[in-house]
Amino acid sequence: MFKRIDHVEIIPRDFERAMGFYTEVLGFKVRQRLKVEAPPLEEIAYLELGDTVVELMQVRDASPAVVNPWQTGYRMMALEVEDMDQAVAYLAGKGVVVTWGPVTMGTTKRAEIQDADGFPIELRQW
């Protein structure tokens, strides 16, 4: 019945800055970008990475999120990386700071970064 997660929605503070982070830093490709006339929603962009999709939503006067990493609800998305050390070095070259890790967890490695709005993103090497 249920096949997979189709996409995850993110409402950034600065839509263009978020577009740049996800496409220029993390390598997402723009699948579709369009203006929307459904206030307060103004524009959406579907960004692909492999077979996964993130939807960025430009919303007029969006309320800032309360940032508490241990609140109930969705915590973060995770990106699989081929080589953690290479990914961390690449991100450092783009000015992205690793906020936690990397740590080895059994046969995997895990680290965390933040997107342009400070939303956490897990990096995982399996």
Side-chain angles (χ1 to χ4, degrees):
M1 175 186 277
F2 300 102
K3 295 170 39 177
R4 65 184 183 92
I5 294 173
D6 182 71
H7 66 275
V8 175
E9 297 178 355
I10 298 173
I11 300 174
R13 283 185 293 253
D14 183 325
F15 188 79
E16 293 302 327
R17 187 176 76 173
M19 286 287 295
F21 179 81
Y22 283 94
T23 60
E24 296 167 20
V25 175
L26 296 182
F28 282 73
K29 304 292 182 217
V30 178
R31 173 196 272 182
Q32 184 180 31
R33 182 175 179 174
L34 55 121
K35 298 287 185 184
V36 178
E37 294 183 25
L41 187 58
E42 297 177 334
E43 185 174 0
I44 57 175
Y46 294 98
L47 308 177
E48 294 179 318
L49 183 65
D51 64 352
T52 60
V53 176
V54 166
E55 177 184 1
L56 294 183
M57 306 172 76
Q58 183 173 6
V59 175
R60 184 182 319 112
D61 300 323
S63 301
V66 176
V67 179
N68 176 351
W70 299 111
Q71 69 189 21
T72 59
Y74 290 102
R75 183 163 142 69
M76 69 180 70
M77 72 171 165
L79 300 178
E80 184 176 350
V81 300
E82 290 181 19
D83 181 288
M84 183 66 72
D85 297 331
Q86 183 180 14
V88 167
Y90 165 80
L91 291 167
K94 295 285 189 176
V96 178
V97 177
V98 173
T99 57
W100 187 84
V103 297
T104 301
M105 303 173 74
T107 59
T108 70
K109 289 184 180 178
R110 184 183 189 284
E112 292 179 15
I113 61 171
Q114 294 179 343
D115 76 0
D117 282 298
F119 298 129
I121 298 172
E122 175 184 331
L123 305 176
R124 179 63 70 126
Q125 177 186 327
W126 292 101

